[in-house]
């Protein structure tokens, strides 16, 4: 199931928290060979985890992490504005209606449906809070995954070539994209909305 | 005569003291036709700062009783960044219910909507609107005003950051050349599709540039953003 949890709430779910940071170390350090910090306990985390982000997490039946992504509002510090302005034509993307989505992670036990379920949950966040888009940094190898689940970002700019390319992209979410991703996830939008409501209460639906 | 919301925002941006900001909160309450509006900044050390229209007797009582520790609006919104209807909060504890009952006695309305804000370096502030009405009326109010309130709340916060000397100043706060190009083309009457084509970007990218510029300019919509970009000398047509 999908959990929507702020970092300070995640401390009450120690298994989920631990396996998320360990899966992130496995994906970003071991597999993708990004220059990220992994501590002595094998956890990957960075300065943005310290800003109480909202995590969207696919939780496996045994309570462990299956996949996740991390959301932060662009009115405060974000990776894109702090480090990747050269990929956005110098535009500081900053608005309470645009959030940053980073550390999209699929753990070793993720199935093809996991990525789609996370995207569907991201769409629920966009709709539920009346946001216009997510902006995010991603690796060339994620392009294939995003494409397969029917949620390809729009690339604003890239640096590097081939497998080493890093890009900044945008995700919007219209009804057609939602239907596509829901098919891939094998989930109805109603169940995702149920999880969302459980986390936030019954949110008034706002027009974007 | 009542000012429009656009004029209100422009007036709020001109204020230079907390007392003027206080006057603005009273004006906004009347513009929105609600019981109260409150802007509240809570520092990591628990220091409070802000303005609003609550009865001073309630503010004194709140501070004296240290209700910051009981208030579900604070505990439910602190360090968050999604807007919240007060009905979504947990009012189940005895303390919270007593607090709510007492708040009503001091003229606080039964409905509320709070927008938590995240400023530079994890700064946390909260903007709340409060009214006395039934659930359907309140739902309708949120649908009608959610978009404007998000912008207005951030203008209050920007002002407070400025007063405290914490606002980003200088080039990081201004518009980038790309945003200026987009605004300029909109100003001369190009459609969004034409602007996007002209800048060789998609309409979604353009939408994000406009949204970002709109926020930086403190504008309620695209037309307002174009007007403000001209006013502030970013674009010359």
């Amino acid at each position: 199931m999908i959990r929507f949890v702020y970092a300070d709430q995640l401390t009450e779910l120690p298994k989920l928290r631990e396996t998320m940071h360990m899966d992130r170390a496995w994906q970003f350090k071991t597999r993708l060979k990004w220059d990220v910090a992994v501590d002595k306990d094998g956890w990957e985390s960075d300065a943005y985890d310290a800003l109480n982000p909202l995590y969207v997490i696919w939780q496996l039946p045994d309570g462990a992490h299956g996949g996740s992504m991390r959301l932060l509002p662009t009115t405060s510090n974000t990776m894109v504005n702090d480090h990747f302005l050269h990929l956005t034509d110098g535009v500081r993307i900053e608005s309470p209606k645009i959030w940053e989505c980073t550390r999209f992670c699929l753990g070793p036990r993720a199935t093809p449906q996991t990525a789609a379920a996370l995207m569907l949950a991201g769409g629920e966040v966009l709709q539920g809070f009346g946001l216009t888009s997510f902006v995010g940094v991603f690796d060339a190898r994620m392009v294939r995954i995003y494409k397969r689940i029917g949620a390809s970002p729009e690339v604003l700019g890239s640096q590097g070539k081939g497998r080493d390319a890093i890009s900044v992209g945008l995700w919007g979410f219209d009804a057609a994209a939602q239907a596509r991703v829901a098919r891939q996830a094998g989930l109805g939008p109603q169940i995702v909305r149920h999880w969302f409501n459980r986390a936030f209460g019954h949110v008034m639906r706002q027009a974007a | 005569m009542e000012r429009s919301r656009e004029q209100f925002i422009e007036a709020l941006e001109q204020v230079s003291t907390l007392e003027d900001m206080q006057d603005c909160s009273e004006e906004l309450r009347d513009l929105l036709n609600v019981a109260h509006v409150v802007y509240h900044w809570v520092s990591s050390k628990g220091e409070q700062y802000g303005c609003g229209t609550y009865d001073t007797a309630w503010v004194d009582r709140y501070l004296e009783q240290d209700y910051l520790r009981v208030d579900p609006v604070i505990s439910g919104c602190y360090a968050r960044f999604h807007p919240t209807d007060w009905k979504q909060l947990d009012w189940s504890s005895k303390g919270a219910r007593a607090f709510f009952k007492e708040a009503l006695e001091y003229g606080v309305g039964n409905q509320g909507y709070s927008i938590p804000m995240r400023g530079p370096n994890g700064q946390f502030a909260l903007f709340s609107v409060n009214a006395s009405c039934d659930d359907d009326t309140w739902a309708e109010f949120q649908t009608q005003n959610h978009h404007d309130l998000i912008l207005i709340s951030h203008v209050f916060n920007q002002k407070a950051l400025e007063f405290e000397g914490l606002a980003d100043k200088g080039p990081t706060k201004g518009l980038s050349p790309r945003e200026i190009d987009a605004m300029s083309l909109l100003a001369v009457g190009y459609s969004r599709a034409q602007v996007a084509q002209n800048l060789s970007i998609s309409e979604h990218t353009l939408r994000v540039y406009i949204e970002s510029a709109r926020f930086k300019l403190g504008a309620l919509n695209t037309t307002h953003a174009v007007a403000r970009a001209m006013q502030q000398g970013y674009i010359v047509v």
Side-chain angles (χ1 to χ4, degrees), chain B residues 211-228:
Chain B
E211 175 52 38
S212 190
R214 187 182 71 80
F215 173 66
K216 290 172 204 165
L217 291 162
L220 289 170
N221 52 47
T222 308
T223 313
H224 190 206
V226 170
R228 303 220 68 190

Side-chain angles (χ1 to χ4, degrees), chain A residues 94-106:
Chain A
E94 207 177 332
S95 161
K97 301 187 94 178
I98 304 167
W99 289 3
E100 182 178 70
C101 171
T102 51
R103 289 291 193 268
F104 191 97
C105 172
L106 296 170

Side-chain angles (χ1 to χ4, degrees), chain A residues 27-29 31-35 84 87 101-104 136-146 153 155 157-159 161-169 171:
Chain A
Q27 169 165 329
F28 296 110
K29 182 99 179 177
R31 287 188 57 222
L32 299 178
K33 309 215 172 354
W34 284 18
D35 181 20
F84 294 94
L87 299 184
C101 171
T102 51
R103 289 291 193 268
F104 191 97
V137 185
F138 58 92
D139 185 277
R141 278 157 285 196
M142 288 305 292
V143 172
R144 190 173 40 88
I145 293 170
Y146 293 138
V155 176
S158 303
Q159 72 183 30
K161 288 250 181 307
R163 283 163 63 89
D164 294 326
I166 285 187
S167 305
V168 169
W171 285 267

Side-chain angles (χ1 to χ4, degrees), chain B residues 132-195:
Chain B
S132 293
C133 59
D134 61 41
D135 289 355
D136 288 346
T137 311
W138 192 235
E140 181 58 22
F141 174 86
Q142 287 176 51
T143 306
Q144 294 296 328
N145 296 289
H146 155 88
H147 174 87
D148 289 3
L149 289 175
I150 287 198
L151 185 86
I152 291 169
S153 61
H154 282 84
V155 178
F156 272 97
N157 195 44
Q158 188 60 32
K159 264 291 145 190
L161 286 168
E162 223 177 278
F163 292 166
E164 293 297 291
L166 292 170
D168 285 341
K169 287 245 171 67
T172 57
K173 222 30 195 179
L175 299 187
S176 67
R178 209 66 173 152
E179 288 165 301
I180 293 170
D181 288 348
M183 288 290 132
S184 304
L185 293 171
L186 288 169
V188 296
Y190 279 42
S191 69
R192 284 178 182 236
Q194 289 168 322
V195 176

Side-chain angles (χ1 to χ4, degrees), chain B:
Chain B
M1 201 191 89
E2 244 186 26
R3 288 194 275 209
S4 69
R5 289 185 187 183
E6 282 87 352
Q7 286 167 330
F8 168 79
I9 288 172
E10 281 162 36
L12 175 58
E13 282 179 338
Q14 298 306 316
V15 307
S16 51
T17 64
L18 191 56
E19 291 83 71
D20 293 341
M21 201 156 100
Q22 173 64 31
D23 292 342
C24 283
S25 68
E26 288 162 21
E27 182 180 346
L28 181 62
R29 171 198 60 200
D30 300 341
L31 263 182
L32 294 170
N33 195 20
V34 291
H36 296 289
V37 301
V38 185
Y39 165 77
H40 195 177
W41 174 351
V42 185
S43 79
S44 51
K45 291 182 224 117
E47 288 160 0
Q48 304 179 59
Y49 176 94
C51 63
T53 64
Y54 288 150
D55 192 328
T56 49
W58 174 237
V59 176
D60 292 343
R61 175 83 184 150
Y62 191 102
L63 294 173
E64 176 198 297
Q65 295 292 315
D66 201 12
Y67 278 150
L68 204 56
R69 294 146 57 96
V70 181
D71 188 350
V73 179
I74 300 293
S75 53
C77 293
Y78 189 76
R80 303 285 177 263
F81 43 83
H82 66 276
T84 302
D85 185 320
W86 289 5
K87 281 195 285 293
Q88 291 162 236
L89 299 166
D90 181 6
W91 297 90
S92 61
S93 80
K94 211 175 146 195
R97 287 200 308 270
F99 165 78
F100 185 69
K101 193 164 160 269
E102 197 184 346
L104 293 180
E105 286 162 15
Y106 280 91
V108 177
N110 63 325
Q111 304 281 0
Y113 183 63
S114 290
I115 299 168
M117 285 170 281
R118 188 68 78 82
N121 304 312
Q123 179 242 4
F124 170 75
L126 193 61
F127 179 84
S128 299
V129 183
N130 170 266
S132 293
C133 59
D134 61 41
D135 289 355
D136 288 346
T137 311
W138 192 235
E140 181 58 22
F141 174 86
Q142 287 176 51
T143 306
Q144 294 296 328
N145 296 289
H146 155 88
H147 174 87
D148 289 3
L149 289 175
I150 287 198
L151 185 86
I152 291 169
S153 61
H154 282 84
V155 178
F156 272 97
N157 195 44
Q158 188 60 32
K159 264 291 145 190
L161 286 168
E162 223 177 278
F163 292 166
E164 293 297 291
L166 292 170
D168 285 341
K169 287 245 171 67
T172 57
K173 222 30 195 179
L175 299 187
S176 67
R178 209 66 173 152
E179 288 165 301
I180 293 170
D181 288 348
M183 288 290 132
S184 304
L185 293 171
L186 288 169
V188 296
Y190 279 42
S191 69
R192 284 178 182 236
Q194 289 168 322
V195 176
Q197 197 184 19
N198 225 278
L199 299 176
S200 308
I201 55 177
S202 74
E203 285 193 49
H204 182 202
T205 301
L206 176 68
R207 203 150 75 93
V208 165
Y209 286 0
I210 294 173
E211 175 52 38
S212 190
R214 187 182 71 80
F215 173 66
K216 290 172 204 165
L217 291 162
L220 289 170
N221 52 47
T222 308
T223 313
H224 190 206
V226 170
R228 303 220 68 190
M230 284 204 253
Q231 211 177 46
Q232 294 173 24
Y234 281 113
I235 58 176
V236 180
V237 183

